[in-house]
Amino acid sequence: MKIAVVGTGYVGLVTGTCFAETGNQVICVDIDVKKIDRMLNGEIPIYEPGLDVLFHRNVEEGRLKFTTSLAEGIKDAEVIFLALPTPPGEDGSADLKYILKVADDLGYILDKYAVVIDKSTVPVGTAEKVRATIAKNAKVEFDVVSNPEFLREGVAVEDFMKPDRVVVGTTSEKAKKVMEKLYAPLVRQGNPVIFMDERSAEMTKYAANSFLAMKITFMNEIANLCEKVGANVDDIRRGIGTDSRIGKRFLFAGIGYGGSCFPKDVQALAKTSADFDYDFRILKSVMEVNYDQKKKLLPMVHNFFNDDLKGKTIAVWGLAFKPYTDDIREAPALENIEALLEAGANITVYDPEAMDNVKAILGDKVTFCHTPYAALDDADALMIFTEWPQFRTPEFEKMGKLLKNKVIFDGRNLYELSTMREMGYTYFSIGREKVS
């Protein structure tokens, strides 16, 4: 099939590359000239494990191309994906200006039937708005379909190529046949393509992400209570995670969720609820708890140093909001670093992938290190914000020699309490007893 993908962020580039991998002819469109030039020169603008192999193979074999021209990109396309940003406004609502601008442009240049697919996470009713915007100037038949993505950054390629399910919102039989043909290579093992109306598909994405955010937040609340009553949240996680009704995933306590999806989608669903005069109380609690949870470690740090952080050097491991990505949107590390800097601390940081993105924001306010151990050299304490695998089994003896104080503030519960006792560390974590 001939496919156009408008927008080359995480969703757009993974979508385009993976559909090219299944034999389609794909053109990715973006107004960012520098980004398109980078991709034309073989450079991938995002870090996503496994994407580079597929990207280079399909570029070399001529199935994956790039352009800044919307008209060129959609020429002869049977399917047009809209994978554009929907940033939250001040009131939490998703901003549709990028999607509706492209929809308006499509109305003038569509010259044959095409299925226009909302791949971005969008509020209920967006498909209707896109359809109306295109129809104002369209001279040919078209369909608008809602096809939300469920990709996890860090494993997005695997998620796309082996989806748990594919959700498609359409009431058009013609569009349904196109979507069945499009996804057939990806669901050969029997995973379902679930068809529903457009509004239900749009709501499904928000419901899924909000439920997962709620699950994370519930465990963080349990962790906070564990600290009060003297229980261990890791034991509780194992105790409830083996219940098939609950499941093992998204039960790890920590310093809250971040990234581009959960914060934005929870806010947007809450805004939709308010627009329809429904008080979605659980979502309000999720947002409030997560806001506080992100800075859970700061009082521990201040107490340890007797509220005097001036001149202290704090080493930070992990800047991305989660491992296997360079994405720092809503990352807890950034808020904590800003608070530590305001308190007069010096900050040394290490992250395998996200340092360039943070450098663009913080500049020389912090010291960027080439290894995790370099960040520890002569530091007064270590704070951990991202659970990168390389942080899980470090050389504790080497760490102890580099740090001024053998103290760790761990926002991801990477280490066993028994190991910390054995190695002589003072160790603060989430929902577990302090080791001193």
Side-chain angles (χ1 to χ4, degrees):
M1 298 178 72
K2 176 73 182 295
I3 298 171
V5 180
V6 185
T8 59
Y10 280 92
V11 174
L13 190 54
V14 170
T15 296
T17 302
C18 289
F19 273 128
E21 179 69 8
T22 58
N24 298 290
Q25 295 293 320
V26 179
I27 297 184
C28 293
V29 184
D30 203 295
I31 60 171
D32 188 332
V33 176
K34 290 182 179 179
K35 183 189 282 190
I36 292 296
D37 285 344
R38 288 172 66 187
M39 290 187 286
L40 288 171
N41 289 320
E43 184 181 348
I44 303 176
I46 61 172
Y47 174 73
E48 183 62 42
L51 184 62
D52 55 344
V53 176
L54 274 58
F55 178 94
H56 293 301
R57 176 161 62 225
N58 286 282
V59 168
E60 289 171 8
E61 295 181 5
R63 290 192 298 268
L64 182 61
K65 299 178 181 178
F66 309 95
T67 182
T68 56
S69 168
L70 182 63
E72 178 186 340
I74 70 159
K75 184 176 175 54
D76 298 325
E78 300 168 71
V79 172
I80 302 170
F81 281 97
L82 305 184
L84 295 153
T86 54
E90 290 185 9
D91 61 356
S93 60
D95 189 342
L96 298 178
K97 65 182 178 184
Y98 301 109
I99 290 176
L100 295 180
K101 172 64 169 67
V102 171
D104 187 60
D105 293 340
L106 286 175
Y108 289 100
I109 59 179
L110 279 176
D111 58 5
K112 56 171 285 191
Y113 173 80
V115 177
V116 179
I117 302 173
D118 284 335
K119 198 66 176 170
S120 307
T121 302
V122 293
V124 173
T126 298
E128 296 161 24
K129 292 180 180 179
V130 170
R131 185 181 295 112
T133 302
I134 296 173
K136 283 190 302 182
N137 301 296
K139 297 179 177 61
V140 297
E141 184 187 357
F142 66 93
D143 278 309
V144 176
V145 168
S146 176
N147 175 216
E149 54 83 19
F150 298 97
L151 306 179
R152 297 166 295 163
E153 290 185 33
V155 287
V157 172
E158 182 179 354
D159 283 349
F160 197 98
M161 301 301 286
K162 299 177 182 178
D164 291 333
R165 81 292 199 197
V166 176
V167 172
V168 178
T170 183
T171 53
S172 164
E173 285 299 318
K174 190 173 183 179
K176 182 178 178 181
K177 290 178 181 178
V178 172
M179 299 302 288
E180 286 174 337
K181 178 183 176 183
L182 179 66
Y183 277 104
L186 303 178
V187 294
R188 295 180 63 193
Q189 294 181 331
N191 291 340
V193 179
I194 304 170
F195 287 95
M196 59 186 73
D197 64 88
E198 295 91 336
R199 285 189 166 226
S200 295
E202 290 163 344
M203 179 66 87
T204 296
K205 175 58 185 293
Y206 281 122
N209 277 356
S210 295
F211 184 86
L212 295 175
M214 180 185 68
K215 198 172 179 183
I216 293 168
T217 303
F218 177 81
M219 283 308 294
N220 285 336
E221 288 270 65
I222 291 292
N224 295 340
L225 183 57
C226 284
E227 294 172 9
K228 301 281 188 181
V229 304
N232 186 314
V233 73
D234 285 344
D235 292 336
I236 294 165
R237 170 177 54 81
R238 289 188 287 267
I240 68 174
T242 47
D243 187 326
S244 60
R245 297 169 300 176
I246 296 173
K248 300 177 181 179
R249 299 175 66 183
F250 292 90
L251 292 181
F252 287 87
I255 48 173
Y257 58 79
S260 62
C261 292
F262 286 3
K264 175 172 67 71
D265 293 355
V266 172
Q267 288 179 34
L269 185 54
K271 178 61 169 59
T272 296
S273 303
D275 289 344
F276 286 85
D277 199 27
Y278 181 74
D279 185 11
F280 209 141
R281 288 166 289 179
I282 289 178
L283 290 188
K284 291 179 180 178
S285 295
V286 167
M287 290 186 286
E288 289 171 5
V289 171
N290 195 64
Y291 178 82
D292 292 337
Q293 196 73 16
K294 283 187 174 184
K295 295 185 178 181
K296 170 79 176 176
L297 294 177
L298 286 175
M300 303 178 191
V301 175
H302 279 279
N303 288 339
F304 182 83
F305 290 106
N306 297 315
D307 270 333
D308 183 14
L309 289 175
K310 290 183 179 178
K312 297 291 189 299
T313 298
I314 307 297
V316 167
W317 281 3
L319 298 170
F321 85 93
K322 63 180 285 189
Y324 301 109
T325 181
D326 60 354
D327 195 343
I328 58 171
R329 287 173 288 185
E330 300 283 346
L334 297 185
E335 292 185 42
N336 282 269
I337 288 172
E338 292 283 7
L340 292 168
L341 289 171
E342 286 182 17
N346 302 311
I347 309 295
T348 58
V349 303
Y350 173 78
D351 186 284
E353 295 295 337
M355 289 198 291
D356 286 345
N357 290 340
V358 172
K359 192 175 293 185
I361 296 173
L362 295 181
D364 59 0
K365 290 182 180 179
V366 303
T367 301
F368 295 91
C369 302
H370 294 294
T371 71
Y373 298 106
L376 301 181
D377 193 10
D378 214 26
D380 293 278
L382 166 65
M383 297 183 75
I384 301 174
F385 294 114
T386 314
E387 61 275 32
W388 284 97
Q390 63 183 269
F391 300 157
R392 292 185 181 275
T393 53
E395 299 178 48
F396 289 114
E397 290 187 3
K398 181 177 181 179
M399 292 169 62
K401 293 176 181 177
L402 291 169
L403 287 164
K404 287 182 183 177
N405 308 295
K406 292 177 69 173
V407 58
I408 299 174
F409 300 89
D410 183 359
R412 298 302 178 187
N413 289 4
L414 296 189
Y415 309 130
E416 295 293 334
L417 301 181
S418 57
T419 302
M420 293 290 92
R421 289 192 191 95
E422 183 181 329
M423 300 303 299
Y425 277 84
T426 297
Y427 181 65
F428 299 84
S429 54
I430 309 296
R432 305 187 295 179
E433 67 174 294
K434 171 189 171 184
V435 173
S436 59

